[in-house]
Amino acid sequence: MNHYFPPTYRLSLTAGEHSARHIRRIVRSLLDEWELAQLTDAVELGVTELVANVVRHVPDRRCVLLLLRSAAGVRVEVADHCPQPPCVPAELSPEAEGGRGLVLLDAVVDKWGVGAAGSGGKTVWFECGV
């Protein structure tokens, strides 16, 4: 029996301290349905980092999460209304309490970047291939 699962999932939310846990569940379910379970660890980590950045750095914590399935894998986008781009520190001291999220993201995804969002904000995205 063939099921059709749409290749796009969109969620608008106000991110809170526990949002990443719920979003990881959604991501895991979608990747299973899309037969991309092998990408679960990387995509969950990436989503967790991007949502954590919204919680920490976007004043109203509002964002839109978009997951796009493609023949090559999956693309995840998190858009918000804050124009300030995320910064990757040149160096991290062992005592630093923050700044590791995008370094971790870079280590587990194929590529990532930042683009302008239509609302004057930004979209941070990453892609993971099969």
Side-chain angles (χ1 to χ4, degrees):
M1 186 163 153
N2 285 338
H3 293 284
Y4 174 74
F5 299 104
T8 304
Y9 177 82
R10 184 178 190 276
L11 174 66
S12 297
L13 71 142
T14 301
E17 299 295 330
H18 302 290
S19 295
R21 180 179 64 211
H22 301 296
I23 293 168
R24 282 192 303 269
R25 258 189 231 130
I26 293 166
V27 165
R28 191 176 316 119
S29 176
L30 279 171
L31 292 175
D32 282 346
E33 290 173 0
W34 290 344
E35 299 179 355
L36 294 172
Q38 70 271 31
L39 300 179
T40 300
D41 290 342
V43 175
E44 283 184 355
L45 181 91
V47 165
T48 299
E49 293 305 328
L50 297 188
V51 171
N53 281 347
V54 169
V55 171
R56 279 189 215 104
H57 303 295
V58 176
D60 66 4
R61 293 184 171 188
R62 290 178 40 210
C63 65
V64 176
L65 168 73
L66 186 64
L67 280 87
L68 304 161
R69 194 215 190 290
S70 69
V74 67
R75 178 181 172 103
V76 177
E77 299 180 359
V78 175
D80 61 56
H81 300 289
C82 184
Q84 179 77 27
C87 81
V88 179
E91 288 188 35
L92 282 171
S93 73
E95 297 83 32
E97 291 188 21
R100 289 180 174 77
L102 294 175
V103 174
L104 280 171
L105 181 70
D106 191 57
V108 301
V109 303
D110 293 327
K111 57 185 173 177
W112 70 276
V114 181
S119 61
K122 67 182 169 302
T123 298
V124 183
W125 59 269
F126 66 86
E127 295 177 356
C128 292
V130 288

